[in-house]
C-alpha cells in the first residue's frame, strides 16, 4: 500500500533513478564488507606470523609476489587494507550523497505535483479548502515524507545489502555460530518493534494532526493580531499553541527514542555473546591465537553488522511512524485532480472584445443545492461604469467571479462581443481585467514589488509602473517616501492608510493596462472623504476603460451609467440611479435599509 502510493507520487522517470541507485547501494555494500573483512586476516597474521603457512588465503597472497620477508608482506597487506578502506568509505560517502540528492529531488517532484494540482483548480477549490491545511501539506508534510519516509527507505535498502552480505559470509565460515548470532539480533529487534509498533503509528498520525492544528492557530493569531489584542484572546492562543507544541514534541520524541533505544540493548547482548564465544573457543581450542583470529572476525563483522541492523530497525520505525503521510499526499493529489473544474486545461485563444452579456446564466457552488445565480441575464457596455448592488447573498459576487473568468456557469452563456467565453480564451480574457478587492493584499515589500505583483524585478517596466501610480493618484505619496518605489510597506501594509492601500490595489490593477476594471466593494471600508476622492479617480479611469463595481454604499454608484439590482440570483431591475430611485421597489428598499442603518449608527 505504502510502496504503491509512493510510486504513484514519484513518477515513472524517478523510478528509473531509484533502480540505478540500488546498484550503487549493492556495490557500496560489497566494498564496505570486503574492506572490513580484510582486517581479520591481518590481525591473525600480526598475532601469529606462522599463520602465513597455515592460512590458505594469506599463503596464496604471499605466493603471488616475491616478498623478501614476512614483515614486508605485512606492511604491503596493511597498505592494501587502508586503500580498500579509503575506497569503501569514499564510495559510501558518495552513496550517501546520492541518497540525499535523489530523495530531495523526489520531494521536489512531489511538491511540484501537489502545488500544480492546487493551482490548476478553479477558484471554488480554494473556497472549499482551508488555506492553512493546503499550506501545511506543502511546507510540513512533504518535507516530512522526504526525511522520514523516502530517506529511511533508501537507508533501509542500502543497509540491508550490507547486512545480507555479512550474514552470508559468516554463514559460509561457520554455519552454526552465524545462525545463532543472526537469530539473536533479529529476535531482539523483532520483539522491541512488535512491542512499540502500534504506539509509533499513533504518534505519527498525531504529529500530522498537530502540525495542521498548530499552523492554523499561528495563522489565526498572527494574521488577526489586531482582533486578538482587542478581544484579549492572547492567553487562548498562547495556551493552545503551547499545548499543541508539547503534544507534538512528545510524540516526535517517542518516535525518535523508539528508533535509537534498541541499539543499547542489542549492543550489550551481542558483545556479551562475543566475549562468551571467546571463552568458549579458549576452553575448546586451547590456543589464544586461534581464538583471536575467530573473535577478530566476528568483532569486525559486528562492527558493521550492528550499525546496519540498527539503521534497518530505525528506518522501519520511521517509515511505520510517518508512512501515513505518503497515503495522505497521494489522496491529496487524487482529491485535487478529481475536483470538478472546467477551467483546468486552458487554451491560448485570443480574448474577445466588446459588450459583455450574461444570457440565462446559472451557477451553483459545489456541495450546495441552492443556485447562487438563477438564469441571470445582464449586459455590460464598454467604456461605461456598471454597478452591481443588492443585499448580501443576492448573487453580485458570483456574477463578478464569472465575469473575472474564475468560474464558468453550469448553464447559460457568457459572451463578449458575441463570442462565447470558455476555457479556450478565458486565460487571455483574465489578462484584460484589472481587479481591486475590498481587502488589498499587501506584501511586506516595496511599492515596486506590490504594484508589479508576481513580476520578476528585472522584468518590471518602470515607465508603466510610474504611469500606473500616477493614474491611481498614489505617485506623489510614493515620491515623498524615503527610497521612492523601493520604500518597504511593512507587513500587510502596516505603514499605509486605508486609502493608500486601495490606491496601491488600483495601481496594481492598472499596471496590466486592462480594458476592464472590476472593483469588488473596494471603497466600502473607507471613510466618506477618502471614498469620494477614490471614486473621483475611478470615474476618470472610466473614460477609457470599462468599469464594473460591486457597491455596498449606494452613494458610491450615483454617477454610474447603469446600476444592476440583484435579488435571488438574478437581475431584478436596471437603470440609472435616478431611474431606479423612482421606479424600482427593490432599489427603494435598499435605500431605506441604508437610511435605517445610518439612524441606528447615530444612536
Amino acid at each position: 500500500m505504502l510502496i504503491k502510493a509512493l510510486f504513484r507520487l514519484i513518477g515513472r522517470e524517478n523510478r528509473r533513478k531509484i533502480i540505478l541507485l540500488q546498484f550503487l547501494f549493492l556495490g557500496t555494500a560489497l566494498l564496505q564488507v570486503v574492506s572490513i573483512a580484510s582486517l581479520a586476516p591481518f590481525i591473525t597474521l600480526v598475532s601469529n606470523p606462522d599463520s602465513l603457512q597455515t592460512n590458505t588465503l594469506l599463503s596464496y597472497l604471499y605466493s603471488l609476489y616475491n616478498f623478501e620477508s614476512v614483515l614486508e608482506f605485512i606492511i604491503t597487506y596493511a597498505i592494501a587494507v587502508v586503500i580498500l578502506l579509503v575506497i569503501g568509505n569514499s564510495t559510501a560517502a558518495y552513496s550517501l550523497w546520492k541518497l540525499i540528492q535523489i530523495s530531495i529531488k523526489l520531494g521536489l517532484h512531489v511538491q511540484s505535483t501537489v502545488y500544480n494540482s492546487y493551482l490548476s483548480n478553479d477558484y471554488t477549490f480554494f473556497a472549499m479548502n482551508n488555506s492553512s491545511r493546503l499550506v501545511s501539506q506543502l511546507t510540513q508534510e512533504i518535507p516530512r515524507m522526504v526525511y522520514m519516509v523516502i530517506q529511511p527507505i533508501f537507508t533501509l535498502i542500502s543497509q540491508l545489502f550490507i547486512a545480507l552480505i555479512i550474514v552470508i559470509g559468516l554463514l559460509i565460515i561457520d554455519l552454526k555460530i552465524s545462525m545463532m548470532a543472526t537469530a539473536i539480533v533479529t529476535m531482539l529487534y523483532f520483539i522491541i518493534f512488535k512491542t512499540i509498533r502500534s504506539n509509533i503509528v499513533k504518534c505519527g498520525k498525531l504529529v500530522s494532526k498537530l502540525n495542521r492544528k498548530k499552523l492554523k492557530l499561528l495563522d489565526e493569531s498572527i494574521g488577526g493580531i489586531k482582533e486578538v489584542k482587542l478581544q484579549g484572546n492572547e492567553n487562548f492562543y498562547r495556551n493552545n499553541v503551547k499545548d499543541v507544541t508539547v503534544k507534538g514534541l512528545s510524540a516526535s520524541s517517542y518516535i525518535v527514542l523508539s528508533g535509537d533505544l534498541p541499539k543499547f540493548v542489542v549492543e550489550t547482548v551481542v558483545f556479551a555473546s562475543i566475549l562468551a564465544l571467546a571463552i568458549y573457543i579458549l576452553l575448546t581450542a586451547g590456543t589464544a591465537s586461534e581464538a583471536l583470529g575467530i573473535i577478530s572476525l566476528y568483532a569486525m563483522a559486528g562492527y558493521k553488522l550492528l550499525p546496519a541492523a540498527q539503521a534497518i530497525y530505525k528506518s522501519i520505525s520511521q517509515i511505520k511512524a510517518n508512512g501515513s503521510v505518503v497515503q495522505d499526499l497521494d489522496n491529496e493529489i487524487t482529491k485535487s485532480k478529481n475536483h470538478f473544474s472546467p477551467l483546468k486545461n486552458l487554451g491560448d485563444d485570443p480574448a474577445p472584445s466588446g459588450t459583455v452579456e450574461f444570457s440565462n446564466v446559472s451557477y451553483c457552488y459545489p456541495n450546495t443545492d441552492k443556485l447562487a445565480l438563477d438564469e441571470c441575464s445582464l449586459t455590460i457596455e464598454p467604456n461605461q461604469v456598471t454597478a452591481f448592488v443588492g443585499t448580501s447573498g443576492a448573487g453580485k459576487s458570483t456574477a463578478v467571479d464569472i465575469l473575472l473568468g474564475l468560474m464558468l456557469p453550469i448553464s447559460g452563456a457568457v459572451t463578449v462581443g458575441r463570442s462565447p467565453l470558455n476555457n479556450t480564451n478565458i486565460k487571455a480574457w483574465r489578462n484584460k481585467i484589472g481587479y481591486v478587492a475590498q481587502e488589498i493584499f499587501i506584501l511586506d515589500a516595496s511599492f515596486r514589488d506590490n504594484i508589479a505583483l508576481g513580476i520578476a524585478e528585472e522584468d518590471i517596466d518602470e515607465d508603466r509602473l510610474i504611469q500606473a501610480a500616477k493614474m491611481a493618484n498614489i505617485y506623489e505619496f510614493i515620491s515623498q517616501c524615503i527610497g521612492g518605489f523601493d520604500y518597504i510597506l511593512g507587513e500587510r501594509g502596516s505603514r499605509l492608510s486605508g486609502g493608500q492601500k486601495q490606491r496601491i490595489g488600483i495601481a496594481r490593477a492598472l499596471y496590466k493596462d486592462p480594458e476592464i476594471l472590476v472593483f469588488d466593494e473596494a471603497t466600502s471600508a473607507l471613510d466618506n472623504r477618502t471614498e469620494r476622492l477614490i471614486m473621483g479617480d475611478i470615474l476618470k479611469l472610466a473614460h477609457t476603460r470599462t468599469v464594473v463595481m460591486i457597491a455596498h454604499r449606494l452613494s458610491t454608484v450615483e454617477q454610474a451609467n447603469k446600476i444592476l439590482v440583484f435579488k435571488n440570483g438574478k437581475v431584478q431591475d436596471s437603470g440609472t440611479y435616478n431611474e431606479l430611485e423612482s421606479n424600482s421597489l427593490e432599489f427603494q428598499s435598499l435605500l431605506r435599509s441604508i437610511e435605517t442603518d445610518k439612524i441606528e449608527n447615530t444612536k
Side-chain angles (χ1 to χ4, degrees):
M1 195 76 173
L2 170 66
I3 298 300
K4 284 183 179 179
L6 188 59
F7 268 38
R8 283 194 296 270
L9 284 174
I10 62 179
R12 182 174 296 176
E13 183 62 32
N14 287 318
R15 291 177 209 167
R16 298 192 189 100
K17 294 178 183 177
I18 292 173
I19 292 170
L20 291 174
L21 186 63
Q22 307 318 305
F23 289 104
L24 177 60
F25 288 160
L26 178 59
T28 301
L30 286 168
L31 284 169
Q32 287 274 291
V33 173
V34 169
S35 63
I36 293 300
S38 64
L39 283 170
F42 176 76
I43 294 170
T44 302
L45 181 61
V46 171
S47 63
N48 182 18
D50 291 338
S51 62
L52 190 60
Q53 307 303 323
T54 58
N55 188 294
T56 305
L57 176 61
L58 293 174
S59 179
Y60 172 73
L61 292 174
Y62 187 79
S63 65
L64 285 177
Y65 299 95
N66 296 320
F67 292 101
E68 295 181 0
S69 65
V70 174
L71 180 61
E72 183 183 357
F73 175 73
I74 291 173
I75 294 171
T76 304
Y77 189 91
I79 294 170
V81 170
V82 171
I83 292 171
L84 271 174
L85 286 169
V86 170
I87 293 172
N89 288 328
S90 298
T91 308
Y94 176 74
S95 177
L96 178 62
W97 176 70
K98 290 300 292 183
L99 183 155
I100 294 171
Q101 184 186 52
I102 291 177
S103 62
I104 289 173
K105 285 183 178 179
L106 292 180
L108 176 62
H109 173 80
V110 175
Q111 184 185 64
S112 298
T113 303
V114 175
Y115 188 50
N116 291 341
S117 74
Y118 288 164
L119 292 185
S120 64
N121 273 299
D122 64 14
Y123 175 73
T124 59
F125 174 81
F126 297 93
M128 293 170 61
N129 286 276
N130 185 279
S131 61
S132 64
R133 189 189 68 79
L134 300 181
V135 172
S136 175
Q137 295 291 331
L138 295 167
T139 61
Q140 294 184 342
E141 299 304 280
I142 290 176
R144 185 174 159 214
M145 185 193 72
V146 170
Y147 297 113
M148 295 298 174
V149 179
I150 293 177
Q151 286 188 5
I153 286 176
F154 288 163
T155 301
L156 171 66
I157 295 169
S158 65
Q159 296 305 308
L160 267 175
F161 280 133
I162 293 174
L164 285 172
I165 293 169
I166 291 174
V167 169
I168 291 169
L170 292 176
L171 288 171
I172 293 170
I173 294 168
D174 193 317
L175 181 64
K176 185 178 178 181
I177 295 176
S178 300
M179 286 184 68
M180 287 176 61
T182 304
I184 290 170
V185 173
T186 305
M187 188 60 68
L188 283 171
Y189 276 117
F190 178 76
I191 291 170
I192 295 169
F193 181 72
K194 194 76 174 175
T195 304
I196 63 176
R197 179 179 61 179
S198 60
N199 286 335
I200 288 176
V201 175
K202 287 178 183 177
C203 286
K205 291 180 178 179
L206 183 62
V207 167
S208 292
K209 181 181 177 181
L210 292 174
N211 281 343
R212 289 192 291 268
K213 186 175 181 180
K214 184 176 179 179
L215 188 64
K216 183 174 181 290
L217 287 167
L218 292 173
D219 186 51
E220 289 175 5
S221 58
I222 295 174
I225 189 63
K226 184 180 287 186
E227 289 81 358
V228 170
K229 288 287 184 185
L230 290 173
Q231 294 180 22
N233 289 336
E234 294 97 332
N235 283 336
F236 171 81
Y237 286 103
R238 189 181 292 119
N239 294 334
N240 275 274
V241 169
K242 182 180 178 181
D243 181 58
V244 169
T245 303
V246 169
K247 288 180 180 177
L249 290 175
S250 297
S252 298
S253 298
Y254 182 86
I255 294 170
V256 173
L257 185 63
S258 64
D260 288 330
L261 191 61
K263 72 177 180 180
F264 301 109
V265 178
V266 175
E267 282 181 6
T268 304
V269 173
V270 168
F271 282 106
S273 301
I274 290 174
L275 292 174
L277 177 62
I279 294 170
Y280 171 76
I281 292 172
L282 277 172
L283 292 173
T284 55
T287 60
S289 60
E290 185 177 345
L292 182 62
I294 297 173
I295 296 305
S296 63
L297 174 65
Y298 281 95
M300 291 301 105
Y303 172 73
K304 277 294 179 182
L305 184 58
L306 283 182
Q310 174 60 26
I312 291 169
Y313 169 81
K314 187 174 182 179
S315 297
I316 292 172
S317 298
Q318 289 178 329
I319 294 165
K320 197 70 179 175
N322 301 284
S324 61
V325 74
V326 176
Q327 192 63 55
D328 289 345
L329 287 169
D330 186 45
N331 293 339
E332 189 73 12
I333 292 173
T334 302
K335 177 183 173 184
S336 178
K337 288 182 177 179
N338 289 343
H339 176 78
F340 176 74
S341 171
L343 296 174
K344 281 190 175 181
N345 300 309
L346 302 182
D348 295 314
D349 288 358
S353 297
T355 301
V356 179
E357 289 190 41
F358 281 37
S359 302
N360 298 319
V361 168
S362 294
Y363 187 83
C364 180
Y365 287 96
N367 300 329
T368 61
D369 296 326
K370 185 180 178 182
L371 288 171
L373 288 182
D374 185 6
E375 296 187 351
C376 175
S377 297
L378 59 88
T379 302
I380 300 171
E381 299 292 344
N383 300 331
Q384 290 189 5
V385 178
T386 303
F388 293 2
V389 301
T391 58
S392 178
K396 309 183 299 295
S397 295
T398 304
V400 163
D401 287 340
I402 291 175
L403 173 65
L404 293 171
L406 296 175
M407 306 182 303
L408 287 178
I410 59 173
S411 64
V414 178
T415 58
V416 182
R418 297 187 178 180
S419 297
L421 198 62
N422 52 43
N423 62 342
T424 65
N425 56 20
I426 211 162
K427 184 164 69 173
W429 170 253
R430 290 172 182 169
N431 289 330
K432 295 178 65 170
I433 298 176
Y435 175 71
V436 184
Q438 179 179 358
E439 293 290 333
I440 304 299
F441 174 65
I442 302 292
L443 300 173
D444 186 7
S446 64
F447 280 112
R448 176 180 283 99
D449 292 334
N450 271 282
I451 294 173
L453 183 67
I455 299 173
E457 190 169 348
E458 61 271 16
D459 296 329
I460 295 175
D461 187 323
E462 288 294 321
D463 292 336
R464 185 186 291 187
L465 187 75
I466 293 169
Q467 181 66 17
K470 286 181 176 178
M471 292 176 71
N473 205 9
I474 190 71
Y475 180 74
E476 185 177 343
F477 173 75
I478 294 174
S479 301
Q480 294 171 356
C481 293
I482 299 172
F485 279 101
D486 294 319
Y487 180 76
I488 304 300
L489 308 186
E491 187 176 9
R492 302 176 187 269
S494 57
R495 299 172 186 171
L496 300 177
S497 68
Q500 289 161 351
K501 289 179 184 178
Q502 291 305 123
R503 285 194 165 93
I504 291 295
I506 295 170
R508 181 185 294 165
L510 290 171
Y511 181 84
K512 294 173 62 178
D513 192 23
E515 291 184 15
I516 300 173
L517 276 171
V518 177
F519 295 87
D520 191 350
E521 299 202 52
T523 62
S524 62
L526 303 178
D527 60 82
N528 291 329
R529 180 177 178 278
T530 305
E531 182 190 33
R532 284 195 298 272
L533 291 172
I534 290 182
M535 276 307 302
D537 298 332
I538 292 172
L539 291 171
K540 290 177 184 176
L541 295 172
H543 294 153
T544 55
R545 290 171 174 81
T546 303
V547 174
V548 177
M549 302 179 63
I550 293 181
H552 178 70
R553 297 174 183 170
L554 297 185
S555 58
T556 305
V557 297
E558 285 186 52
Q559 299 182 62
N561 299 101
K562 181 165 64 174
I563 300 172
L564 305 177
V565 183
F566 280 77
K567 184 179 181 180
N568 297 328
K570 59 181 65 178
V571 176
Q572 183 82 7
D573 296 301
S574 65
T576 64
Y577 187 95
N578 291 333
E579 289 171 348
L580 292 171
E581 189 178 26
S582 301
N583 304 320
S584 171
L585 295 177
E586 182 64 24
F587 192 75
Q588 292 167 6
S589 175
L590 290 173
L591 287 171
R592 285 195 298 272
S593 65
I594 291 171
E595 288 300 322
T596 302
D597 289 342
K598 285 181 180 179
I599 294 170
E600 291 294 327
N601 291 332
T602 56
K603 287 183 179 180

